[in-house]
């Protein structure tokens, strides 16, 4: 349907030479998801009453569970009000002249059309997987805890499926919010750039901020409401019912649903955005010698659409999944530790992650509002470094996060059994916050053209395309060292701080080690909303630059958006590094939860995995292989789709020679349709590989173990697969993200006038490097860190079939 819309005859606007700054109107019918269409069709007063009743029900359920839940829900609702204020503030900004609005409309229509088609496909796959999960849970064995609480197979099955579908739905909404914001903010940033750089920066930051607040708030309130609902419905902690320490295990399906949608959103969006980008650059910049985002390039609209569906929608779903996975794994470990230590009121340890992220919404909002406009107007006003301004806001956020984290640990993690334990855990959180800051700094060092690595990479472009590629690959490989050292120190430090907290089980064995690591993960993600703000800033600024170039605004305006775009490339790279670090810690926690789950089902201890056993070692090899094959398929998908775009753009330049002289109009819609259909087709194979591989490996080795007298062989092999895939995936994602970001900013550095500037031989070589790096940093790299978390959640959900 979307192809027909894009290729329909709605592109006629009269002779192109008569209207050189008017562009095809590709809009057909604005897309709004069904749930929003239903809400908009309801009378305002009726909707207000329903909203009040819904909030009343939520607060009643929360109050019946714990005052902590009431606090979390209250903070989330207040943060949504802040997001509404930011929405009104951003939308109140003007959209600029008509030519800007027409281009923005075309981008919006392409993004919404692709979102509708992509998420329609994802929802069908999610429903199919939900049926599979239901069948597995209906025929699986039960744990002793479930038997003692009277939680039967059917109840457990329906709870898991409901949680899975809710997680998938919320992840999809998070993606839609990211895309909705970006396609409306881009043109307003372009318009603001005509007045001042600081105003453009403020609009882009606040637009990214409102999206970030909604994504983080939804993740927190979704888990809080689900937890409270299960608590009340199942009568938790009443005689003969489930213990509150076992309740977090029922939330695993929510994390799996979020991971499932995030993986396919990242794959589909990443293939779309980079295939369009590669196709536009190879023919436009290299072959035709026209600037980036030039209106004569037939693939330029597809490229700008890709920024929204790949970087905004996909990253919104990605961070939603990251927070959900981290919260659930930390709740599971907190409950498990509280149970072993016989803590009288374990609710503080279980709900601690929700409180941390509630404070995240508060401190990140302060950081977002700290970035203000100035009284200086006009494009000739002195321009501050946007990265310095964003870093200052991040510094404010971190200081407040440290204070909030210390307050949270004293409030919720104080126990008479170990009066000083809360201080140890506060130090674990501090380690996580410091780790996040260092990760951001490392990524900035390797990808910002103000620093030596990118300048050396740019210099290598002056001797040809080959030396540029060699330098970029070596930079990416080297960039894995510091993050690995930092994450290693963080895991060990947090583990030992937790272990020495004074919390012990009945036998006197220290039990706080893993929870200390979980608290460090929470510390790392305690500024997640501001991190996502910086991430969303990048594609919004990129789109704004494209609109300015296509609408042929003055060069001074383009200079402002170029600077914002270059900073956006750095912020995207830094947030990807941050996401990889948090993914490593979250996967470690989920792996520990998986081992506890296997132990519960097998009715025997499962504390370690011996890789000296041949079958287990093979499982590890398969896990590493999975990462490499997945990366290869993701990159090749971009390559194949880009080839289609290149052929189409070449065809248009040959068949319509007047395009170069503004005498004929490019067919933008054709390129949009090609990229959309190809990316949806190409995302299936790598996504299916990620889902099917651990299930098949675990089941095959379970059968082998049955015939060789090794009852836990399937679970052990899957554990090895998960461990090796996590380690390989972290290194691969670091390499891909950093190399791609460095190549991109080396090109930006040359475009500032260095080494001959635009159109020079060095610039052409840098464009080649950037083209190679595109699928690295925006398709394979981001998809891998989603993959390793999804592997952890799918093994946790599917654990019974490995036994």
């Amino acid at each position: 349907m979307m192809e027909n819309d894009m290729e329909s005859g709605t592109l006629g606007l009269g002779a192109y030479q008569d209207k050189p700054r008017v562009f095809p109107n590709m809009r057909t019918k604005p897309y709004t998801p069904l749930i929003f269409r239903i809400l908009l069709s309801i009378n305002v007063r009726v909707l207000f009453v329903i909203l009040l009743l819904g909030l009343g029900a939520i607060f009643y359920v929360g109050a019946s569970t714990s005052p902590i839940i009431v606090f979390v829900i209250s903070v989330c609702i207040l943060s949504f009000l802040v997001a509404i204020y930011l929405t009104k503030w951003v939308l109140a900004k003007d959209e600029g002249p008509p030519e800007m609005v027409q281009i923005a409309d075309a981008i919006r229509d392409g993004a919404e059309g692709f979102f509708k088609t992509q998420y329609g496909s994802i929802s069908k796959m999610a429903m199919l997987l939900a049926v599979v999960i239901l069948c597995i849970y209906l025929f699986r064995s039960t744990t002793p805890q479930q038997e003692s609480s009277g939680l039967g197979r059917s109840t457990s099955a329906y709870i898991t499926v409901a949680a899975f579908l809710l997680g998938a739905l919320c992840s999809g909404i998070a993606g839609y919010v990211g895309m909705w914001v970006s396609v409306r903010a881009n043109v307003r940033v372009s318009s603001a750039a005509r007045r001042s750089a600081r105003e453009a920066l403020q609009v882009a930051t606040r637009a990214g901020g409102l999206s970030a607040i909604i994504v983080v708030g939804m993740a927190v309130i979704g888990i809080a409401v689900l937890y409270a609902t299960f608590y009340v419905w199942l009568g938790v902690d009443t005689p003969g019912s489930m213990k509150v320490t076992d309740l977090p295990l029922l939330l695993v399906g929510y994390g799996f649903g979020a991971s499932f949608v995030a993986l396919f959103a990242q794959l589909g969006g990443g293939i779309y955005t980079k295939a369009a980008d590669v196709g536009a650059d190879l023919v436009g910049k290299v072959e035709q010698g026209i600037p980036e985002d030039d209106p004569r390039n037939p693939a330029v609209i597809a490229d700008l659409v890709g920024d929204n569906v790949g970087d905004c929608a996909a990253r919104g779903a990605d961070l939603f999944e990251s927070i959900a996975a981290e919260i659930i794994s930390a709740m599971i470990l907190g409950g498990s530790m509280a149970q072993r230590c016989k803590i009288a009121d374990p609710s503080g340890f279980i709900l601690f992650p929700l409180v941390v992220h509630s404070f995240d919404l508060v401190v990140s909002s302060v950081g977002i509002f700290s970035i203000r406009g100035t009284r200086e107007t006009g494009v000739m006003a002195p321009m501050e470094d946007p990265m310095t301004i964003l870093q200052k806001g991040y510094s404010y956020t971190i200081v407040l996060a440290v204070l909030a984290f210390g307050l949270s640990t004293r409030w919720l993690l104080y126990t008479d059994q170990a009066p000083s334990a809360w201080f140890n855990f506060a130090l674990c959180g501090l380690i996580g916050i410091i780790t996040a800051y260092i990760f951001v700094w490392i990524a900035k060092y390797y990808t910002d053209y103000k620093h030596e690595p990118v300048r050396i990479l740019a210099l290598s472009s002056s001797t040809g395309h080959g030396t540029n590629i060699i330098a970029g690959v070596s930079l990416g490989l080297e960039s894995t060292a510091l993050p690995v050292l930092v994450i290693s120190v963080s895991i060990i430090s947090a583990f030992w701080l937790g272990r020495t907290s004074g919390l012990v089980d009945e036998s006197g064995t220290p039990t706080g080690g893993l929870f200390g690591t979980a608290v460090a993960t929470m510390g790392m993600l305690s500024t997640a909303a501001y991190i996502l703000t910086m991430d969303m800033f990048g594609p919004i600024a990129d789109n704004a630059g494209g609109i300015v170039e296509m609408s042929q605004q003055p060069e001074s305006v383009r200079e402002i958006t170029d600077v914002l775009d270059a900073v956006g490339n750095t912020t995207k790279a830094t947030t990807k590094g941050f996401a990889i670090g948090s993914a490593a810690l979250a996967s470690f926690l989920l792996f520990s939860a998986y081992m506890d789950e296997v132990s519960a089902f097998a009715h025997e201890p499962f504390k370690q995995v011996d890789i000296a056993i041949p079958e287990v070692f093979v499982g590890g090899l398969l896990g590493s292989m999975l990462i490499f094959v997945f990366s290869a398929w993701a990159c090749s998908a971009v390559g194949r789709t880009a080839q289609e775009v290149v052929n189409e753009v070449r065809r248009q330049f040959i068949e319509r020679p007047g395009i170069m002289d503004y005498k004929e109009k490019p067919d933008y819609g054709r390129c949009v349709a090609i990229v959309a259909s190809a990316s949806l087709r190409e995302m299936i194979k790598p996504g299916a590989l990620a889902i099917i591989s651990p299930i098949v490996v675990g089941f095959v080795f379970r059968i082998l173990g049955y015939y060789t007298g090794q009852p836990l062989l399937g679970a052990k092999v899957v554990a090895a697969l998960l461990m090796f895939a996590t380690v390989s995936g972290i290194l691969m994602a670091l390499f891909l993200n950093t190399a791609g970001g460095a190549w991109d900013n080396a090109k930006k550095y040359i475009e500032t006038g260095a080494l001959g500037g635009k159109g020079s031989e060095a610039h052409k070589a840098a464009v080649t490097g950037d083209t190679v790096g595109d699928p690295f940093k925006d398709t394979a790299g981001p998809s891998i860190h989603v993959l390793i978390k999804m592997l952890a959640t799918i093994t946790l959900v599917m654990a019974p079939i490995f036994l």
Side-chain angles (χ1 to χ4, degrees):
M1 180 181 294
M2 188 171 66
E3 275 193 60
N4 293 335
D5 291 342
M6 295 300 179
E7 295 179 20
S8 63
T10 61
L11 303 181
L13 278 175
Y16 189 58
Q17 62 267 35
D18 297 333
K19 300 180 180 180
R21 298 175 68 184
V22 178
F23 302 91
N25 179 14
M26 300 198 302
R27 298 194 64 104
T28 52
K29 183 180 179 182
Y31 169 66
T32 305
L34 177 62
I35 186 171
F36 293 115
R37 291 204 300 272
I38 293 173
L39 291 175
L40 290 172
S41 66
I42 301 174
N43 180 273
V44 176
R45 293 181 180 179
V46 175
L47 186 62
F48 182 71
V49 172
I50 294 173
L51 182 62
L52 284 180
L53 291 174
L55 289 175
I58 289 172
F59 275 106
Y60 172 77
V61 172
S64 302
T65 305
S66 169
I68 300 171
I69 291 290
V70 175
F71 170 79
V72 170
I73 293 173
S74 300
V75 172
C76 289
I77 291 174
L78 289 174
S79 70
F80 291 150
L81 295 177
V82 171
I84 291 172
Y85 165 78
L86 288 174
T87 304
K88 290 185 175 180
W89 187 90
V90 171
L91 295 181
K93 294 291 181 179
D94 70 283
E95 295 182 315
E99 58 267 22
M100 280 187 175
V101 176
Q102 285 186 306
I103 297 165
D105 285 347
I107 295 169
R108 186 183 310 170
D109 189 64
E112 291 181 343
F114 179 73
F115 183 92
K116 176 182 178 181
T117 310
Q118 181 191 30
Y119 276 76
S121 302
I122 293 174
S123 62
K124 293 172 185 175
M125 291 187 288
M127 293 301 296
L128 179 62
L129 187 55
V131 173
V132 173
I133 295 172
L134 180 65
C135 294
I136 291 172
Y137 270 65
L138 285 175
F139 295 101
R140 75 171 194 169
S141 58
T142 55
T143 64
Q145 294 88 341
Q146 291 172 337
E147 292 173 358
S148 62
S149 64
L151 190 66
R153 292 180 182 176
S154 59
T155 305
S156 177
Y158 291 124
I159 284 176
T160 303
V161 169
F164 170 80
L165 292 175
L166 180 62
L169 174 64
C170 290
S171 184
I173 293 175
Y176 179 74
V177 167
M179 185 271 298
W180 188 92
V181 170
S182 64
V183 297
R184 286 159 178 80
N186 51 15
V187 68
R188 290 168 169 84
V189 175
S190 300
S191 179
R194 297 181 306 146
R195 294 184 290 274
S196 77
R198 188 64 180 259
E199 183 184 350
L201 172 66
Q202 186 185 25
V203 175
T205 305
R206 290 197 170 188
L210 77 91
S211 175
I213 289 171
I214 292 175
V215 169
V216 176
M218 278 186 55
V220 175
I221 200 171
I223 294 175
V225 170
L226 198 62
Y227 176 91
T229 303
F230 289 161
Y231 186 98
V232 173
W233 178 37
L234 299 173
V236 173
D237 272 351
T238 57
S241 66
M242 173 179 283
K243 295 180 180 179
V244 69
T245 51
D246 297 324
L247 182 57
L249 281 168
L250 298 180
L251 306 176
V252 172
Y254 185 90
F256 182 32
S259 298
F260 177 83
V261 171
L263 179 67
F264 281 99
Q266 191 70 69
L267 274 172
I271 293 168
Y272 187 113
T273 183
K274 290 303 110 181
D277 196 2
V278 169
D281 283 355
L282 283 179
V283 183
K285 287 185 180 180
V286 178
E287 295 181 8
Q288 299 295 329
I290 58 179
E292 185 172 2
D293 300 325
D294 192 285
R296 292 169 290 180
N297 194 326
V300 66
I301 289 290
D303 184 11
L304 295 174
V305 168
D307 291 333
N308 296 285
V309 298
D311 290 328
C312 292
R315 293 295 293 150
D318 178 7
L319 193 72
F320 177 91
E321 177 268 340
S322 294
I323 294 171
E326 178 264 324
I327 289 176
I328 293 168
S329 59
M331 291 175 76
I332 292 171
L333 291 175
S336 176
M337 185 192 69
Q339 186 176 28
R340 287 197 297 269
C341 297
K342 305 295 182 184
I343 293 174
D345 182 12
S347 60
F349 287 85
I350 296 171
L351 299 177
F352 178 68
L354 294 173
V355 173
V356 168
H357 284 292
S358 298
F359 279 120
D360 169 21
L361 291 167
V362 176
V363 301
S364 295
S365 297
V366 174
I368 292 164
F369 280 102
S370 72
I371 298 174
R372 298 176 175 273
T374 60
R375 294 182 181 179
E376 294 147 340
T377 58
V379 293
M380 298 306 292
M383 184 174 182
E384 300 175 73
D385 181 8
M387 194 68 202
T388 302
I389 298 169
L390 291 173
Q391 285 286 100
K392 189 181 296 184
Y394 185 44
S395 299
Y396 292 149
T397 305
I398 281 185
V399 170
L400 293 174
V402 170
L403 297 175
F405 209 95
L407 176 65
S408 302
T409 51
R410 181 61 181 83
W411 173 26
L412 298 173
L413 302 185
Y414 178 84
T415 174
D416 293 333
Q417 293 173 239
S420 63
W422 72 270
F423 185 71
N424 281 47
F425 290 128
L427 292 178
C428 292
L430 182 61
I431 287 173
I433 293 171
I434 293 172
T435 300
Y437 189 85
I438 294 174
F439 258 79
V440 169
W441 182 86
I442 291 171
K444 180 175 177 289
Y445 173 73
Y446 278 107
T447 57
D448 192 336
Y449 63 60
K450 294 184 181 65
H451 299 289
E452 186 179 15
V454 174
R455 295 201 173 198
I456 291 175
L457 176 57
L459 184 61
S460 71
S461 304
S462 60
T463 53
H465 300 251
T467 50
N468 173 279
I469 300 301
I470 293 170
V473 170
S474 62
L475 184 151
L477 292 171
E478 178 190 315
S479 70
T480 62
L482 285 177
V484 168
L485 292 174
V486 170
I487 205 73
S488 301
V489 171
S490 300
I491 290 175
I492 293 173
S493 302
F495 182 86
W496 283 103
L497 276 171
R499 190 174 178 83
T500 57
S501 64
L503 290 171
V504 296
D505 60 15
E506 291 176 316
S507 63
T509 305
T511 59
L514 283 176
F515 188 68
T517 309
V519 173
T521 310
M522 286 180 255
M524 193 168 185
L525 284 169
S526 63
T527 56
Y530 192 87
I531 292 293
L532 182 59
T533 298
M534 291 201 297
D535 189 77
M536 292 288 189
F537 167 86
I540 291 173
D542 192 359
N543 252 213
I547 292 172
V548 166
E549 181 69 33
M550 284 196 71
S551 59
Q552 302 169 20
Q553 299 299 311
E555 186 64 26
S556 55
V557 180
R558 180 65 192 185
E559 287 175 4
I560 290 175
T561 55
D562 278 346
V563 171
L564 295 179
D565 187 14
V567 170
N569 285 333
T570 303
T571 59
K572 285 193 290 183
T574 56
T575 51
K576 285 168 187 171
F578 168 87
I580 294 166
S582 62
L585 290 170
S587 298
F588 178 70
L589 303 181
L590 288 167
F591 178 75
S592 302
Y594 165 74
M595 297 185 76
D596 288 341
E597 183 83 340
V598 170
S599 180
F601 277 105
H603 310 298
E604 61 178 275
F606 187 59
K607 298 294 183 185
Q608 55 189 9
V609 179
D610 186 0
I611 61 172
I613 299 172
E615 295 90 345
V616 177
F617 183 72
V618 168
L621 285 177
L622 292 173
S624 296
M625 178 206 73
L626 172 62
I627 296 298
F628 282 82
V629 173
F630 177 87
S631 303
W633 286 1
C635 289
S636 64
V638 173
R640 284 191 297 271
T641 307
Q643 287 173 16
E644 295 184 43
V645 178
V646 166
N647 291 333
E648 172 60 24
V649 175
R650 284 173 175 168
R651 181 192 67 79
Q652 290 198 34
F653 276 124
I654 292 171
E655 295 181 4
R656 302 183 182 189
I659 287 177
M660 290 299 292
D661 299 322
Y662 295 96
K663 294 178 181 177
E664 290 185 83
K665 295 180 296 184
D667 186 354
Y668 301 108
R670 178 60 186 157
C671 288
V672 171
I674 288 173
V675 180
S677 60
S679 58
L680 292 173
R681 180 179 68 249
E682 296 285 357
M683 75 178 184
I684 301 299
K685 190 168 77 167
L689 174 72
I691 295 170
I692 295 172
S693 294
I695 298 174
V696 171
V697 169
F699 190 71
V700 168
F701 280 94
R702 172 191 175 180
I703 296 172
L704 181 61
Y706 175 80
Y707 286 105
T708 58
Q710 303 177 75
L712 291 181
L713 184 62
K716 291 178 180 178
V717 170
V718 169
L721 181 147
L722 185 56
M723 281 192 295
F724 280 61
T726 300
V727 172
S728 301
I730 291 167
L731 294 172
M732 178 69 83
L734 283 170
F735 162 67
L736 295 174
N737 285 332
T738 309
W743 267 317
D744 195 349
N745 270 351
K747 178 197 70 176
K748 295 288 184 189
Y749 175 60
I750 294 174
E751 288 175 350
T752 62
L755 302 172
K758 294 181 180 179
S760 65
E761 291 302 314
H763 183 242
K764 291 179 180 178
V767 170
T768 300
D770 179 34
T771 303
V772 172
D774 276 339
F776 283 21
K777 66 183 174 67
D778 287 321
T779 307
S783 298
I784 287 172
H785 75 253
V786 179
L787 167 66
I788 60 178
K789 285 177 288 184
M790 199 195 74
L791 288 174
T793 53
I794 196 172
T795 51
L796 189 54
V797 171
M798 301 293 184
I801 69 172
F802 307 144
L803 302 171

